[in-house]
Amino acid sequence: MPSLQTALPPELANNVIRKHNTELVVDMVRQQFKKHKHETDPEKIQKLKDDAARGLINHILYESERLSGRKFDKSS
């Protein structure tokens, strides 16, 4: 699974990694969708959706690890 840094543009990922704020992550994903709202290429739209999902999943895993104190296996 790609890291948060590869799922979001670098300038956004660096900010997310520093702040680890769920609201900020959701807002950044919304900004990316608004930025590309006129995109018509189905393949590019799917890539944007996949990138957003990976970014949100990575953040959820990070928060789960932080709250539980245990690391999840990266191979699963």
Side-chain angles (χ1 to χ4, degrees):
M1 178 183 293
S3 72
L4 184 60
Q5 288 148 324
T6 61
L8 293 173
E11 67 276 5
L12 298 179
N14 290 337
N15 197 16
V16 170
I17 289 168
R18 269 185 272 127
K19 296 202 179 194
H20 303 294
N21 184 328
T22 302
E23 289 178 24
L24 181 61
V25 174
V26 171
D27 187 49
M28 288 180 181
V29 170
R30 281 191 185 122
Q31 287 175 12
Q32 287 300 301
F33 274 101
K34 286 179 183 178
K35 180 179 173 182
H36 299 286
K37 69 182 175 184
H38 299 295
E39 184 60 57
T40 57
D41 178 19
E43 288 181 21
K44 181 136 186 193
I45 292 170
Q46 188 59 49
K47 182 186 180 319
L48 292 167
K49 287 180 181 179
D50 293 345
D51 290 348
R54 273 191 297 277
L56 293 171
I57 289 167
N58 284 341
H59 181 69
I60 290 168
L61 288 173
Y62 169 81
E63 285 295 317
S64 296
E65 288 176 350
R66 187 178 66 82
L67 293 172
S68 71
R70 74 174 233 244
K71 294 281 184 187
F72 291 101
D73 184 12
K74 294 183 181 191
S75 64
S76 37

